[in-house]
Every structure is written in structure tokens, then in C-alpha cells.
Amino acid sequence: MKDINILLKKIKNTLTPKEDVLFDEWLQDSYENRLLYKKLLQLKNEGQDAHIISELDVNASWESVQNEILKQQKRKSILLYGQKWVKYAAIFITLFGTSIILKTVFFTPEELIIGEEAITIQLENGDIEIISLSKKKLIKDNKGNTIGQHSGEMLDYNTKLTNQYSKTNDYSTGELVYNTLNIPFGKTYKLTLSDGTIVHLNAGTSIKYPVKFIKGKDRRVFLNGEAFFDVAKDEKHPFIVNVNMINIRALGTQFNVSSYDEDLSINTILVSGSVSVYNNNKNYNPEKSLILKPNQKADWNKGNKEMSIETVDPNIYIGWIDGRIRFYHMKFNDIIKKLERNYNVSIINKNKYLEEKTFTASFDVETIEQILESFSKNSNHTIKYRIENNQIIIY
């Protein structure tokens, strides 16, 4: 590694915003980079002061990491994702001219240094890639074929990249290969699937999807979190979203699905077209499925497994796509969950008065402090709070 200054400043938490972007790009460039950073971060966490970290012979460590990687590549059989632990030899680092040995570290591939605020793709083979919002990159399959690309805040599998993967060949005749896209709290992202379907992903969401749909088979994806789907029309290949205990089946339509683990219900809001909602433990039967019409919302109660329908204004539920947060007669405890996901904070509410109180409000560019002040003014009850690091405590 030619320039270690940015890495050392990252260890000491002194990066400028511009340098932080450069570090993110360096970190995602290779497996070796992430391993080196993990080793140095571990040393710091074991008690070494920042000024001592700055004296590390990083270049020597870098060569040692590369040598260990080469050795491990010769023993690929032990690199089974989720099944084996990988043992790396100790790395020699010089501190003030004295050689010390880091403790041997055991970890699985998914434990590589990945910040909680990183957007990641987990490939079929278990490898994890970090998406940089400032850098374009091609996505490869395990054979080296280009299957997509990410650029800015979008990951695209429908762009014409190669003869094998092009818009004239949207369906594969081979086996399904799934990737999983993970969006952290505080961020949103856009995904274009190989068939042209566009998916907007809200904060704290993950979606498992085929890099290529199979000819003659349903187009099926698996969602945990919230997403807005603009489905490419194809009557021969129904599009199915699997969320927890239900399936949402569509042909060509627009709808929003919210299914976070911490929520008590799963809701589906239809914007245009039509969708069928049914239990995922049963085969699809149009006569026994719930058919939604535009502007209808279906709520599936996770507890009693019952479905309810009501007519709503879809804009209240899909404003997050444009960066707006809207609450309509929503309990404060449920509002907290949305604020935590949107602002990437932890909120502890010790104010019993607010728990069941409902609010109707709309926000877009406000800070979390401004939102709390707004609730305080409109609740006839002063809301006091304090912020400690990334945690908000309400009294």
C-alpha cells in the first residue's frame, strides 16, 4: 500500500469528509485491504493508544497479510462460507523498532470490517462487497461474467453490459443465483432487476433477488424491511414478493410493502394495477387470494394472522422515496421506530404520556432535533430529551 496516511487517520478518527470517501473506496477495493484494517483496528481496541498506532510499520504488515492470503488461497477448501472458521497467522508489526506479535484471530468471511453504515451486497458464494456511493463498479458472477453495475445510489442488473447479459436476453435457462442487498439505517437505495423492475429500498431493508430470472418460472424476491416496487409487465412471469408469512403477486404494477421485524403487521399499499395477497404456505389460488385495488392498503396482523383492508392516500406511505417522512394518526411508539431507521439513531422513550398519543405530521429536510421540537409544540406536553452520541433519551 503506497499511501498509509488515510488508513492511520481512520484508525485515529481524524479523517476529513473527503478523506472518508477515499478510505471507503480503498476499503472496498480488495479483501486484503479489509483484512489489514481489521488487524490494525483490533490492535487499537486491545488498548493501544492512537499515537502508538501511528508508529506501526503498516507496510511490513501489508506484506505479511498478502503472504497469508496467498497461503489461504492454496487451501480454499477451508474457506466455506458460514461453515468453517478461517485461521490467519499472526502478523508482525514494529512498534518503535521493537517487533511484537498480534494475537491469532479467528473469523468467518462475513466478519470482515464492514461499517454499520455501509450498503453491502452478499453474493451467492458468501462474499460481501461494499457499495461506494461515489464510485462506479461492475458486478461479477463467480465465473467472472459481468452481471450488473452500481453507480451512485443505484444498482442495475438491466443495463446492456455483455452479449450474455443484455436487455434482449432478460431470462436465463440456467439455475437461480441469488444476491442479497442490505441497506443500513439512515440510507435509501435503488435497485433495477434484470427484467427492468425498479425497486426503491428504504432504510434498514434487505432484499434477496436473482441476478437473472429463469425463463418459464415466477419472478420471486424476498424482502425484509420496506420497498416500493415498479414491476415490469410480463404476463408469462408473475412477480412475487415474499415477506415473512405472505406473498404479494403482481404482473405489472406499482405497490409499497413494509415488513420490518419489529413491526406488528405487514402492510401493502397498491398505487396502480392490481396485486394478490395470500399466505405463502399455500399455493396461489386467485379465488382464495385477496385482490387489492389502487389506493387500498392491506394489513396482515402477525399475531392473529388476519388481514384487513382500508382505502388510503398512498402518498402518505410512499413519501419516503423522495426523502419525506409522513405520519397519519400514528402512535408515538410507532413513530419512534421510523425515526430510528430514518436517522440512524437509538431512541429511548421514558415519557409514558407520549406512548399511545397519536400524531399526524410531515417532514422532509428537518433534523431529528427539529422533529422532536415539533412534536413538543403539538402535544400540549413539553418533550424533554438529551442526546448522547447516537442515542436519544426522551423524558
Side-chain angles (χ1 to χ4, degrees):
M1 187 171 57
K2 296 180 179 180
D3 187 358
I4 65 172
N5 291 330
I6 289 181
L7 175 58
L8 296 177
K9 290 181 71 174
K10 178 67 176 181
I11 294 294
K12 294 187 291 183
N13 296 318
T14 58
L15 284 179
T16 66
K18 184 176 180 180
E19 289 172 333
D20 199 45
V21 172
L22 294 175
F23 173 79
D24 181 54
E25 293 176 355
W26 173 82
L27 192 66
Q28 72 156 338
D29 275 341
S30 74
Y31 172 73
E32 293 93 331
N33 291 358
R34 296 192 289 274
L35 179 59
L36 177 60
Y37 178 52
K38 179 183 178 74
K39 296 292 186 180
L40 297 184
L41 192 63
Q42 183 203 11
L43 183 63
K44 178 183 178 182
N45 292 338
E46 287 178 351
Q48 298 293 348
D49 293 333
H51 74 277
I52 295 178
I53 296 295
S54 67
E55 300 295 330
L56 294 175
D57 187 350
V58 179
N59 288 321
S61 304
W62 177 251
E63 293 179 1
S64 181
V65 168
Q66 290 179 316
N67 290 335
E68 291 304 323
I69 293 295
L70 291 175
K71 292 177 183 178
Q72 292 301 323
Q73 288 176 344
K74 296 178 181 179
R75 300 194 294 272
K76 286 185 178 180
S77 59
I78 68 171
L79 293 176
L80 298 177
Y81 172 73
Q83 300 177 21
K84 301 281 188 179
W85 293 89
V86 183
K87 181 176 182 180
Y88 285 91
I91 297 178
F92 290 88
I93 297 181
T94 302
L95 275 173
F96 302 108
T98 301
S99 181
I100 68 170
I101 303 177
L102 288 178
K103 295 179 181 179
T104 302
V105 181
F106 294 84
F107 61 93
T108 51
E110 65 269 29
E111 289 181 292
L112 296 176
I113 293 300
I114 297 175
E116 292 182 357
E117 298 181 0
I119 297 174
T120 64
I121 306 173
Q122 182 172 319
L123 307 180
E124 177 83 1
N125 63 3
D127 289 347
I128 297 177
E129 295 188 3
I130 299 174
I131 290 182
S132 171
L133 300 182
S134 63
K135 186 176 181 180
K136 294 182 179 180
K137 186 175 181 180
L138 297 179
I139 304 299
K140 307 280 187 177
D141 64 13
N142 56 9
K143 295 181 180 179
N145 298 312
T146 298
I147 56 176
Q149 67 177 352
H150 67 75
S151 175
E153 297 183 353
M154 182 178 70
L155 176 60
D156 189 356
Y157 288 85
N158 189 244
T159 302
K160 189 172 182 179
L161 300 168
T162 66
N163 292 331
Q164 183 178 0
Y165 297 94
S166 69
K167 289 184 177 180
T168 60
N169 182 25
D170 290 334
Y171 292 92
S172 171
T173 56
E175 297 181 357
L176 283 173
V177 176
Y178 283 95
N179 284 354
T180 301
L181 181 61
N182 299 290
I183 313 302
F185 284 179
K187 293 183 179 179
T188 59
Y189 202 66
K190 182 179 177 182
L191 169 67
T192 301
L193 299 174
S194 63
D195 64 337
T197 292
I198 297 173
V199 188
H200 296 268
L201 300 162
N202 205 352
T205 296
S206 66
I207 183 171
K208 181 179 178 181
Y209 57 92
V211 299
K212 202 75 173 175
F213 292 108
I214 301 297
K215 188 174 181 62
K217 301 290 184 179
D218 293 342
R219 297 173 287 168
R220 186 181 297 269
V221 300
F222 301 84
L223 179 73
N224 182 22
E226 183 171 21
F228 178 83
F229 294 86
D230 187 352
V231 180
K233 188 172 183 178
D234 186 343
E235 296 181 358
K236 295 181 179 180
H237 299 86
F239 191 93
I240 299 174
V241 181
N242 175 273
V243 282
N244 198 283
M245 295 173 283
I246 66 172
N247 285 335
I248 299 101
R249 181 185 178 98
L251 295 176
T253 185
Q254 295 179 323
F255 60 98
N256 192 85
V257 180
S258 182
S259 177
Y260 288 100
D261 289 337
E262 63 269 25
D263 291 344
L264 300 178
S265 64
I266 301 169
N267 67 63
T268 305
I269 297 95
L270 182 63
V271 177
S272 65
S274 67
V275 296
S276 300
V277 183
Y278 60 100
N279 193 310
N280 65 9
N281 292 324
K282 300 178 181 179
N283 292 327
Y284 175 65
N285 184 336
E287 296 181 358
K288 296 183 179 181
S289 300
L290 180 65
I291 308 297
L292 289 185
K293 298 178 181 178
N295 302 331
Q296 285 188 331
K297 177 169 78 78
D299 268 307
W300 171 271
N301 189 298
K302 294 179 181 178
N304 59 28
K305 297 178 174 57
E306 292 182 355
M307 187 84 71
S308 61
I309 303 178
E310 63 177 318
T311 300
V312 299
D313 177 2
N315 293 318
I316 294 175
Y317 298 90
I318 65 174
W320 62 267
I321 299 174
D322 299 317
R324 297 190 303 273
I325 310 175
R326 292 187 174 184
F327 310 113
Y328 183 72
H329 291 312
M330 184 176 290
K331 292 181 180 180
F332 190 71
N333 276 353
D334 293 326
I335 288 175
I336 285 176
K337 297 175 185 177
K338 288 184 175 290
L339 292 177
E340 286 181 322
R341 293 191 288 256
N342 191 76
Y343 287 92
N344 190 22
V345 295
S346 172
I347 301 177
I348 299 175
N349 179 32
K350 295 184 177 182
N351 190 326
K352 299 296 182 181
Y353 170 82
L354 292 173
E355 287 184 352
E356 299 298 315
K357 187 172 180 59
T358 60
F359 293 87
T360 295
S362 178
F363 304 98
D364 46 26
V365 297
E366 287 84 354
T367 64
I368 186 66
E369 293 89 350
Q370 290 172 328
I371 290 178
L372 292 175
E373 292 297 334
S374 177
F375 283 134
S376 180
K377 292 178 181 179
N378 292 281
S379 67
N380 298 320
H381 184 84
T382 301
I383 297 177
K384 295 181 180 180
Y385 64 90
R386 75 170 187 266
I387 300 178
E388 298 176 353
N389 296 323
N390 210 39
Q391 185 178 81
I392 299 173
I393 302 175
I394 300 174
Y395 298 94

